[in-house]
Amino acid sequence: MHYLLPARLDLQAHLSAWPPTEVPQFHPDALVRLLHLVTEVPAHNRKLAKQIRQQGGYVPLSAQLLQSIERHYNHYLTYAVRSGLLETDGRWWPTTAQVAGKCRGYRFTAAYCTPHPDASSDEVARQPRLQLVHLTDPKMQAKARRQGRRPTLLSPAERRDLRLREQPHAPLLEWLAPNRTPLRLDQAAALAYLAERFDMLPPVVAPRPKWPEWRPKWLKALDRDYYASPVEQYNQRLHSIVRLANRQLQPSIDTTVGRLHTTLTNMSSELRPFVYADGYGPLVSIDLVNSQPYLANLLWNPAFYTKSSSVKSTINFQNFRQSEIYKGRNVKGIIKEIPDIMLVNISQLTHREDIRLFSSFTGSGQFYELLLNAFRQRDVTLTTRKEVKELVFQVLFTRNGYYSPYKALFCLLFPTVDHIFRLLKQQDHTLLPRLLQALEAYLFLHVISRRVARTWPQVPLFTVHDSLVVPQEYAGQVEQIVREELRQATGIEPTLKHEQWSQAVRHDLLPPTSVASSIELNKKNR
């Protein structure tokens, strides 16, 4: 098992200088695991990381979590504070009917941290550059391995609500189990790349978010002023390496839109060249190009709203609403919020010229490039694909009352499309993006992945939201299924692209590609 501690910390020297005499049955590996939580907890949850950043960098550590690692955790943490490893905010209170509880927070002291570049006070979060460490005691390693590989897909409350309704995810979850997953990472090559990449980064930080001026207007001030340091980016990638090395894929189901989140979905694309499937070789990601604009075509497809339609569709309003996986979740609220006008005379919209133009753009796979050309013909000063993509983000994500020249241009080019989007956002501007993400999750997790798993149960299968990840020798066959299901759902031919993973993996780690096994697989499934 791999753990992360500040790179400036020499633990053996620290223990010699500050003997932990007050800790009963002290073991250095237990201290390593407890200190690791200070870096691991915020890296696992972005919302929590945001709260931690706004509260001075103190990481709340619950007694239940600490107890699961070490019975005498209080003595260890007291020693860490006394010896200058950690500092604490010293604040905690229990949960009551009026106030949410708070755990005592901890952070590494300034001696082990790099000051945040935009620090205006002592309470701004500090970022320690991390190093990889290992446990020394085989018994502690075995204990950590057992605890770290427990399945944590759903909380007990979610399981009670859903009963067995998470079964549609079963084909994917089997390949995410720690004892079965073939996912591996060329750790040495990935760490060397990160170190080289970090040395090349300038000391000047880049502002976040990296969008044009329009977006900060509707962001909170704390987000608008936030800067991401190279140290923070380095640490985030290092955490992904540790999780893959420990085979902790950490699957969880998004209770808002039904997406499946794993270590792969949270991992930086820079690390994908180092990921491979043990025993299966290189991996390929089959990605739906401009997925959300493409799936928006469902919103004016009559087959989506009519259960007994003459047009057969993979998904319709009824089976999406009645899907077992979504009962009891917030996705059910998305369906309730769709205005009734969307269910009436929807067929009258399909003949509109701008609807056909939008559909042809999204099906071509060059949606943003074609939009750019269309705007240039209208003498609009848009110069890059990135600017057009930001225009589409404004149309999808902002409130109806939010005006920008970009939104006005989109309305001129696609008046019917813009009208439908506004209908969906008239009560809640987040409904449209939530609906599109829920449709994406339903199609990729419940329709496409299940068909692939039924056809080839022996083929490893992973998802990264709007893409499937499979071994390279099966990519062509899986792509055909993805294409068929998406075409049947929307009535429009999709554009798919392949992203090659495992390019930076040493050849001795990859088995030779077996063309014969692919042929036998085809024969078996005919």
Side-chain angles (χ1 to χ4, degrees), residues 92-103:
W92 72 274
W93 53 82
T95 300
T96 65
Q98 293 79 22
V99 182
K102 180 193 177 300
C103 302

Side-chain angles (χ1 to χ4, degrees), residues 251-437:
S252 63
I253 300 174
D254 188 333
T255 57
T256 302
V257 295
R259 276 182 160 184
L260 177 63
H261 297 276
T262 65
T263 298
L264 283 182
T265 63
N266 298 324
M267 184 180 67
S268 169
S269 59
E270 294 183 8
L271 296 179
R272 291 172 183 171
F274 305 99
V275 179
Y276 66 100
D278 186 28
Y280 297 90
L283 294 170
V284 171
S285 172
I286 304 168
D287 181 46
L288 174 60
V289 180
N290 48 254
S291 63
Q292 291 198 12
Y294 172 84
L295 294 176
N297 289 287
L298 279 165
L299 302 179
W300 45 80
N301 185 350
F304 178 62
Y305 297 98
T306 307
K307 187 174 183 179
S308 57
S309 173
S310 58
V311 181
K312 296 297 182 181
S313 175
T314 299
I315 180 175
N316 60 52
F317 184 81
Q318 295 296 329
N319 61 26
F320 178 62
R321 180 174 58 185
Q322 297 171 3
S323 174
E324 287 296 311
I325 191 66
Y326 293 126
K327 288 183 179 177
R329 292 185 179 273
N330 292 342
V331 180
K332 187 177 180 182
I334 295 176
I335 299 299
K336 288 182 177 180
E337 295 171 28
I338 294 180
D340 293 338
I341 193 172
M342 297 296 297
L343 308 179
V344 181
N345 297 327
I346 195 70
S347 61
Q348 297 179 5
L349 300 175
T350 57
H351 71 281
R352 300 288 179 89
E353 181 61 32
D354 66 306
I355 289 283
R356 291 198 293 267
L357 182 64
F358 186 89
S359 299
S360 65
F361 278 16
T362 56
S364 68
Q366 296 182 323
F367 177 66
Y368 302 111
E369 291 81 2
L370 292 173
L371 269 183
L372 180 60
N373 292 333
F375 287 132
R376 282 175 176 171
Q377 293 175 6
R378 293 173 177 260
D379 297 327
V380 176
T381 56
L382 291 176
T383 58
T384 65
R385 182 182 187 273
K386 182 179 179 181
E387 288 180 324
V388 179
K389 194 169 185 178
E390 290 154 1
L391 175 154
V392 176
F393 286 166
Q394 290 187 42
V395 173
L396 293 178
F397 300 144
T398 60
R399 292 177 172 86
N400 287 343
Y402 177 83
Y403 172 82
S404 77
Y406 286 171
K407 290 182 71 175
L409 291 173
F410 186 89
C411 182
L412 285 176
L413 190 60
F414 303 113
T416 310
V417 174
D418 184 72
H419 176 66
I420 294 173
F421 287 170
R422 287 178 176 274
L423 285 174
L424 286 167
K425 297 194 296 179
Q426 63 184 0
Q427 300 296 329
D428 180 0
H429 73 284
T430 68
L431 173 59
L432 177 60
R434 285 189 291 130
L435 176 59
L436 293 176
Q437 290 182 359

Side-chain angles (χ1 to χ4, degrees), residues 428-473:
D428 180 0
H429 73 284
T430 68
L431 173 59
L432 177 60
R434 285 189 291 130
L435 176 59
L436 293 176
Q437 290 182 359
L439 290 170
E440 170 199 282
Y442 182 88
L443 284 168
F444 277 86
L445 299 179
H446 301 252
V447 178
I448 298 172
S449 294
R450 293 178 76 180
R451 180 178 167 187
V452 172
R454 286 196 303 267
T455 308
W456 302 300
Q458 67 274 50
V459 176
L461 176 65
F462 309 95
T463 62
V464 183
H465 299 323
D466 61 355
S467 62
L468 295 187
V469 183
V470 295
Q472 184 175 15
E473 61 179 311

Side-chain angles (χ1 to χ4, degrees), residues 200-258:
M200 294 172 58
L201 291 174
V204 180
V205 298
R208 181 184 290 179
K210 300 177 182 178
W211 309 107
E213 296 178 356
W214 60 269
R215 191 172 181 181
K217 294 179 182 178
W218 46 283
L219 282 177
K220 294 180 180 179
L222 287 171
D223 291 329
R224 192 183 312 151
D225 299 335
Y226 174 59
Y227 287 77
S229 69
V231 171
E232 182 178 2
Q233 296 172 356
Y234 173 87
N235 290 344
Q236 289 172 347
R237 288 154 179 75
L238 198 58
H239 275 287
S240 296
I241 292 176
V242 167
R243 290 182 189 127
L244 275 176
N246 292 341
R247 304 183 199 175
Q248 295 174 332
L249 298 178
Q250 299 176 323
S252 63
I253 300 174
D254 188 333
T255 57
T256 302
V257 295

